[in-house]
Amino acid sequence: MTAGDSPELDQLYRDFAAENLVPLWTQLGDLMPMHPAPAARPHVWRWNALYPLARRAGDLVPVGRGGERRAIALANPGLAGNAYATPTLWAAIQYLGPRETAPEHRHAQNAFRFVVEGEGVWTVVNGDPVRMSRGDFLLTPGWHFHGHHNETDRPMAWLDGLDIPFSHYTDVGFFEFGSDRVTDYATPTYSRGERLWCHPGLRPLSGLADTVSSPIGAYRWEHTDRALTEQLLLEEEGQPATVEQGHAAIRYVNPTTGGDVMPTIRAEFHRLRPGVATATRREVGSSVFQAFDGRGRVLLDGTPHELGTGDLFVVPSWVPFSIEAETGFDLFRFSDAPIMERLHFARTHIEGDAR
C-alpha cells in the first residue's frame, strides 16, 4: 500500500510522520535486500594525482594544534560527501614536511600507517619512537598517544587507515590532546616494542597476558618480503604454501592471541607472480588496497582498472573483484573483517568454488 490509495491511508501516514514513526512495509526492500546493496562504490585513486595534491597542502596548510594532521581522506563517491572510503573504514594520505612535527594526541579509534615510499619519519606511540620506512606496517591502537617527527630535509607521505566511520556511527569516539611536540625525539633503528616482541616464535615471559591489540609497533618490510618470497619458493618445490597458484599472502597478527592486529581492522599483504589472476570473489564487508610494487589491474564489478605503485582502490561489500598481475605485483590490503566475523555476518563467495 502507498499513499494516495485512500484519504484514510494518507492521513495514517501523516499521523505516523507526526509521531516520528515509519512503517516497515514501505522500507523493507532497502532495510532487508536479497543481498548486500552497498551505497559505497568501487573506486580507484591514483598516487600520481594524490601525492602532488598532498605536496601542495604541505606548502599551504600548517601542522599544529587545531588541524593536528595534514591528512587527506579518500571520500567514496557513493557516500554522500562523507570523508569515508567505506561505511566502516577511513583511509587518507598523510603528508609531513621537512623537519616538521605533528603534535601528540590520542583517540578511541584504532589506526595504522603503511609506507609506500620514503623514510626519515619516526612516529612516537605511547612514548616509544618507531621508525617509518618503505613497506613498513605500523600500528597506533585506540587510546595510544602518538605524534610524528620528520628528521630529514625531505617530505614524506604515507597511508593512514582507521575505523573512524564505524566508531562515528556507533558513537564510541573519544579524543584527547597530548604534548605539543613528541615525548621522545630519539631515532632508534628499532622501537622498544620490536626489541621485546619481534623474535620469531618467541614470547617474552614478561608479556604473557593477551592484549586487545598487537604490542608490536612496526611490522618491517624485510620480514614481509622474505615471508612472501619463501612461500613462492616453496610453491616451486611443490609444497602447499600459497593461497592460489602464484599468489602468496600473509596476514599481520597480534602475537599475544594469534588474531588480528586490532579488534576492528585486518591487514594483509599479497604478492602475485607475473601473469597470475586471482579468482573472482565477493565478501561481506569492505576492503581498501594499495598497490606497493609492480603493475597490474583490478576488475571491480567487471570493470578493469590499471594499477601502478601507490594507487588505491576500494572494494565495497559483496562487489565482485579479482586482481591480475602484469609484472610481479605486490599489494597491501586492510579490511573490516574482524567486525564482520565477530558479529557472524562474514560470508565469502568465490567463483567456480562449489563448496
Side-chain angles (χ1 to χ4, degrees):
M1 294 183 181
T2 61
D5 287 350
S6 71
E8 293 82 3
L9 186 60
D10 287 345
Q11 185 60 51
L12 178 63
Y13 285 127
R14 287 194 293 271
D15 292 344
F16 282 157
E19 296 298 329
N20 294 303
L21 301 171
V22 178
L24 176 62
W25 57 85
T26 66
Q27 304 290 312
L28 188 60
D30 291 331
L31 295 177
M32 297 182 181
M34 299 300 289
H35 56 76
R41 300 178 197 167
H43 193 73
V44 177
W45 290 267
R46 303 294 179 188
W47 186 253
N48 62 10
L50 295 174
Y51 189 82
L53 289 169
R55 186 173 58 239
R56 287 167 59 191
D59 294 336
L60 298 171
V61 180
V63 169
R65 281 291 175 246
E68 290 289 302
R69 300 291 185 262
R70 193 185 291 109
I72 305 159
L74 309 185
N76 190 292
L79 296 180
N82 287 318
Y84 302 160
T86 83
T88 53
L89 300 174
W90 194 84
I93 303 305
Q94 186 172 162
Y95 184 93
L96 198 64
R99 305 294 172 180
E100 277 192 324
T101 294
E104 292 191 346
H105 63 215
R106 64 178 177 176
H107 40 71
Q109 295 85 353
N110 295 288
F112 72 81
R113 310 178 205 296
F114 179 74
V115 184
V116 73
E117 64 182 30
E119 60 182 11
V121 170
W122 272 256
T123 182
V124 182
V125 181
N126 276 357
D128 190 4
V130 186
R131 171 176 54 89
M132 297 176 62
S133 302
R134 181 179 183 273
D136 293 346
F137 171 62
L138 307 106
L139 297 187
T140 308
W143 216 235
H144 284 41
F145 277 113
H146 55 285
H148 323 301
H149 62 101
N150 187 344
E151 292 300 306
T152 74
D153 295 321
R154 300 176 304 278
M156 184 170 164
W158 59 85
L159 171 67
D160 282 348
L162 295 92
D163 55 12
I164 288 175
F166 177 76
S167 63
H168 181 74
Y169 182 76
T170 50
D171 289 325
V172 298
F174 292 87
F175 182 94
E176 183 178 336
F177 291 114
S179 168
D180 286 344
R181 305 294 286 167
V182 292
T183 52
D184 192 334
Y185 274 91
T187 57
T189 301
Y190 297 105
S191 63
R192 294 189 291 272
E194 291 171 82
R195 291 167 60 195
L196 182 62
W197 283 97
C198 292
H199 307 284
L202 304 174
R203 182 170 179 174
L205 289 181
S206 60
L208 291 182
D210 290 352
T211 57
V212 172
S213 297
S214 172
I216 298 174
Y219 294 74
R220 297 296 176 190
W221 170 241
E222 55 261 35
H223 305 305
T224 304
D225 182 39
R226 180 172 179 182
L228 296 164
T229 298
E230 292 295 342
Q231 285 186 24
L232 292 174
L233 289 173
L234 285 166
E235 180 186 77
E236 290 177 3
E237 298 166 13
Q239 301 301 318
T242 53
V243 292
E244 300 173 286
Q245 190 68 28
H247 177 188
I250 58 95
R251 181 178 300 168
Y252 302 93
V253 298
N254 177 350
T256 75
T257 63
D260 288 294
V261 289
M262 292 184 289
T264 54
I265 294 175
R266 173 167 296 167
E268 300 173 346
F269 203 100
H270 296 255
R271 173 171 291 171
L272 277 63
R273 294 186 190 274
V276 165
T278 69
T280 299
R281 56 199 297 128
R282 298 174 186 258
E283 299 170 337
V284 168
S286 53
S287 295
V288 176
F289 287 77
Q290 184 170 35
F292 178 70
D293 198 16
R295 297 188 308 277
R297 66 192 56 83
V298 61
L299 272 70
L300 291 168
D301 205 10
T303 301
H305 303 269
E306 300 297 320
L307 299 170
T309 299
D311 292 345
L312 295 117
F313 64 91
V314 61
V315 184
S317 186
W318 214 241
V319 168
F321 74 99
S322 65
I323 299 168
E324 302 174 355
E326 181 179 342
T327 64
F329 199 28
D330 285 359
L331 301 104
F332 171 78
R333 177 190 191 186
F334 73 101
S335 74
D336 57 13
I339 300 172
M340 300 302 133
E341 291 176 0
R342 184 64 60 88
L343 298 177
H344 299 280
F345 287 136
R347 181 181 295 192
T348 299
H349 172 74
I350 301 174
E351 276 191 14
D353 190 339
R355 290 175 292 178

